[in-house]
Amino acid sequence: KTIFSRLTARGQNMSALSLNNSTLSSFPTSISVPRYNRQSLKAGIVHVGVGGFHRSHQAFYTDNYINHTGDLSWGICGIGLREADRAIKQSLEAQDYLYSLLVKHPNGKTDTQIIGCLTDFLLAPDDPEAVINKMAAEETQIVSLTITEGGYNYDPSTGEFDFSNPDIKHDLANPNKPKLIFGYLAAALDRRRKSGQKPFTVQSCDNVQHNGDVIRKMLVTYISSYDSELADWVANQVSFPNAMVDRITPATTDKDIALAEQLGVIDSWPVTCEPFHQWVIEDKFCQQRPAWEKVGAQIVNDVTPYETMKIRLLNASHTVMGILGSLRGYQTIEQTISDPLFATVVSNFMDNEVTPILDDVPGIDLSDYKRTLIARFANPNIKDSLARICSQSASKVSTFLVPTIVENLKIGGNGAIANLVIAAWCLYSDTHSSQQGQPLEVIDDMAETLQQAAHASRISPLAFLEQPSIFGSIIENESFCNEYKYYISQLYAGVAIEQIMEAVLSSYKAK
Ligand code: CS2
């Protein structure tokens, strides 16, 4: 949606104030505002990908940090790499880079916090040079990323960098006008090295297992293809901390814009989120960093057990509910988890398919963690749409779910629910509709390829699995395939997803 259609959504509050520097001091005390001098902020952080999640998570932590310490060196300059980011640029620009965060509690209460730590926004397609300069600037100490699971450009079946991507070919041929993150980081780091400056830390905030290690490997591979000296310098001098990030952040709707106004803020793009938030960061920064631990982040030596737990329990359960719930005709996570059958399937998935393959997580009781997850999913005030959850499922399924399936196959563990989800995703990708025939909004860069592969299942039931970039080699596992074929035949025969779920649960009980 463009900012212009957003501005047409209005609430009913005559005393609501527009959001900009001049109104900041006039908000009522029910709305918290930055307590620091925004004009003196320096942008120590350049952040790529200013979506809702960045605004509810890293920017929220950073704003709290600045409020708490008065340290003004950690403003954030936002970067959008795609033309589609123009709308958020326009919205922020018109509001002096301020926005409101609406924290929605299960009891219906909403807290409003105006976040002030964004200082600027650059749209890369308008001026790639300005983006490279900004990253290369002395004051930039961290370049952080939320570029989504797909943005890391690796082939999940091999874990290797995908040089066949046409945008990568473009960027290698046009190093000063790149499209993707690798070209920007490479150009900026090259300038820093040549001018004798220290590099910045590259800090990933995506739901990718070992996100720091992955971005490091991809970037170094990319640069090695044309400049081995720079590649060595990056490998040795730049740090790439791994991190686990967590806060459920639904897509902003017109209702949220109206709600912000009712609460007193006229904001063309507020962000809504749940109260829960967690950030576990490895302390590997080649330059300074904000002491985010002062406002609740956990700094650890090894983030692996936390990120595995979070991705495989939270994100994967989201995918389970997203796909099964969509076929059933549900619209939101909360609606899906309120159906006892779906709640039971999700708990069984977590307990029987994921928990057995998780390592111990220091300081975390997994049963509590799972109970909290169910409560978070059920927050009636958070309307997290299944369309958001199912968007870019190709990269989500391969990141969140396939590793669990593969590990269970290795140890002979349970995998019936994950298997059913893959079969259900095939039907979903084929028909783009619920089982009752309501059309589903499918947002996936791979939608067409998925649809073709899914459609072929009508003749050759395993066709959908013949996509190694998503499923690796699970098609070679006979017992997986036999079970999968059964689900495919049921689904294509029109058997209701609830009935198949019931059957899976009773087979669990029988075991
Ligand atoms: C979701 C995540 O997009 C998804 O599939 O699972 O956006 C999830 O809400 C966040 O990772 C929560 O931290």
Side-chain angles (χ1 to χ4, degrees):
K1 276 194 184 167
T2 68
I3 174 180
F4 304 106
S5 72
R6 289 184 171 277
L7 282 172
T8 58
R10 295 291 300 268
Q12 293 297 318
N13 183 350
M14 297 309 284
S15 61
L17 296 173
S18 329
L19 194 48
N20 57 58
N21 280 333
S22 68
T23 56
L24 265 189
S25 56
S26 313
F27 283 96
T29 50
S30 56
I31 294 175
S32 62
V33 296
R35 298 190 297 273
Y36 49 87
N37 179 2
R38 297 188 72 227
Q39 273 61 45
S40 309
L41 274 180
K42 281 200 296 182
I45 301 174
V46 169
H47 182 81
V48 182
V50 187
F53 182 70
H54 170 69
R55 282 174 284 159
S56 75
H57 193 264
Q58 184 184 0
F60 157 84
Y61 275 92
T62 306
D63 188 72
N64 286 353
Y65 166 80
I66 306 171
N67 272 328
H68 183 75
T69 60
D71 178 356
L72 296 174
S73 20
W74 298 106
I76 302 177
C77 171
I79 308 277
L81 291 185
R82 301 162 314 146
E83 182 53 40
D85 299 318
R86 190 176 297 283
I88 183 63
K89 175 187 160 75
Q90 291 175 335
S91 166
L92 287 169
E93 226 167 41
Q95 300 179 173
D96 295 332
Y97 307 99
L98 294 161
Y99 64 93
S100 50
L101 185 66
L102 309 180
V103 180
K104 296 185 170 185
H105 296 269
N107 64 3
K109 236 187 99 218
T110 302
D111 293 329
T112 311
Q113 175 171 351
I114 293 172
I115 306 280
C117 60
L118 291 181
T119 57
D120 198 1
F121 190 104
L122 304 175
L123 192 72
D126 281 351
D127 192 351
E129 182 59 26
V131 172
I132 298 171
N133 269 333
K134 186 72 198 173
M135 290 181 176
E138 185 93 49
E139 78 177 14
T140 303
Q141 304 201 55
I142 295 174
V143 174
S144 53
L145 318 172
T146 40
I147 52 175
T148 77
E149 295 79 30
Y152 290 76
N153 195 55
Y154 62 89
D155 178 336
S157 60
T158 60
E160 298 303 324
F161 191 75
D162 178 10
F163 279 103
S164 70
N165 179 343
D167 286 344
I168 293 291
K169 292 187 180 151
H170 168 276
D171 289 5
L172 286 169
N174 300 277
N176 291 317
K177 284 193 178 143
K179 292 185 178 172
L180 303 183
I181 187 63
F182 308 99
Y184 280 102
L185 292 175
L189 287 165
D190 189 36
R191 285 189 200 176
R192 292 182 87 108
R193 183 177 69 112
K194 289 193 172 132
S195 64
Q197 286 178 70
K198 282 195 200 162
F200 44 72
T201 300
V202 178
Q203 184 178 26
S204 169
C205 302
D206 283 293
N207 291 310
V208 170
Q209 196 105 51
H210 312 315
N211 49 19
D213 299 346
V214 173
I215 184 69
R216 177 179 190 273
K217 176 172 170 187
M218 298 307 130
L219 181 62
V220 171
T221 308
Y222 175 79
I223 299 175
S224 299
S225 73
Y226 65 89
D227 184 344
S228 59
E229 259 179 55
L230 178 62
D232 284 348
W233 187 76
V234 171
N236 296 319
Q237 306 291 324
V238 180
S239 54
F240 300 84
N242 293 309
M244 179 263 248
V245 294
D246 192 7
R247 189 169 214 180
I248 292 173
T249 309
T252 302
T253 63
D254 285 348
K255 278 194 184 145
D256 298 321
I257 298 175
L259 173 66
E261 179 166 346
Q262 274 158 33
L263 294 166
V265 194
I266 299 173
D267 183 346
S268 61
W269 205 324
V271 178
T272 72
C273 64
E274 61 173 342
F276 182 94
H277 49 85
Q278 190 174 15
W279 196 8
V280 189
I281 311 166
E282 281 176 2
D283 202 359
K284 278 194 217 147
F285 286 71
C286 56
Q287 289 219 51
Q288 302 292 305
R289 63 168 175 83
W292 283 302
E293 63 273 32
K294 294 197 168 153
V295 289
Q298 290 158 263
I299 306 288
V300 300
N301 287 328
D302 179 12
V303 82
T304 312
Y306 299 91
E307 59 182 16
T308 313
M309 167 187 83
K310 190 264 171 167
I311 290 173
R312 295 195 182 185
L313 289 171
L314 188 155
N315 297 107
S317 297
H318 259 167
T319 298
V320 168
M321 288 183 277
I323 292 169
L324 300 179
S326 294
L327 283 188
R328 165 67 182 75
Y330 289 138
Q331 307 288 326
T332 64
I333 288 289
E334 173 254 343
Q335 199 182 16
T336 309
I337 198 80
S338 306
D339 177 331
L341 173 62
F342 282 76
T344 312
V345 164
V346 171
S347 310
N348 275 277
F349 168 72
M350 294 205 272
D351 292 343
N352 301 331
E353 303 191 12
V354 182
T355 308
I357 55 169
L358 289 180
D359 291 332
D360 279 347
V361 193
I364 292 191
D365 175 336
L366 275 181
S367 311
D368 281 354
Y369 183 78
K370 288 185 278 187
R371 254 194 304 278
T372 309
L373 282 184
I374 301 277
R376 291 168 63 195
F377 295 150
N379 181 338
N381 207 15
I382 289 281
K383 307 286 181 216
D384 201 4
S385 70
L386 300 190
R388 179 187 87 86
I389 297 298
C390 292
S391 70
Q392 308 302 349
S393 277
S395 50
K396 290 181 184 174
V397 168
S398 67
T399 314
F400 304 159
L401 203 55
V402 172
T404 296
I405 297 177
V406 170
E407 281 184 37
N408 275 319
L409 289 175
K410 267 191 222 148
I411 60 163
N414 270 310
I417 294 170
N419 195 321
L420 173 61
V421 171
I422 305 289
W425 183 39
C426 174
L427 184 66
Y428 166 106
S429 303
D430 186 359
T431 62
H432 290 194
S433 72
S434 72
Q435 284 187 311
Q436 299 80 37
Q438 300 147 298
L440 296 169
E441 188 193 1
V442 177
I443 312 158
D444 204 306
D445 295 342
M446 284 189 63
E448 235 173 86
T449 317
L450 291 169
Q451 193 165 34
Q452 277 166 13
H455 201 68
S457 318
R458 292 167 186 253
I459 294 159
S460 153
L462 296 178
F464 193 61
L465 298 180
E466 285 167 20
Q467 302 186 86
S469 75
I470 301 171
F471 300 115
S473 54
I474 55 180
I475 193 167
E476 287 162 20
N477 188 292
E478 209 184 314
S479 72
F480 180 90
C481 289
N482 287 339
E483 192 172 344
Y484 173 84
K485 269 195 254 176
Y486 173 73
Y487 296 139
I488 287 285
S489 68
Q490 295 258 300
L491 286 164
Y492 277 88
V495 178
I497 190 73
E498 301 97 295
Q499 202 178 320
I500 310 177
M501 286 162 61
E502 299 273 12
V504 168
L505 289 177
S506 33
S507 79
Y508 259 169
K509 278 180 214 134
K511 270 186 193 164

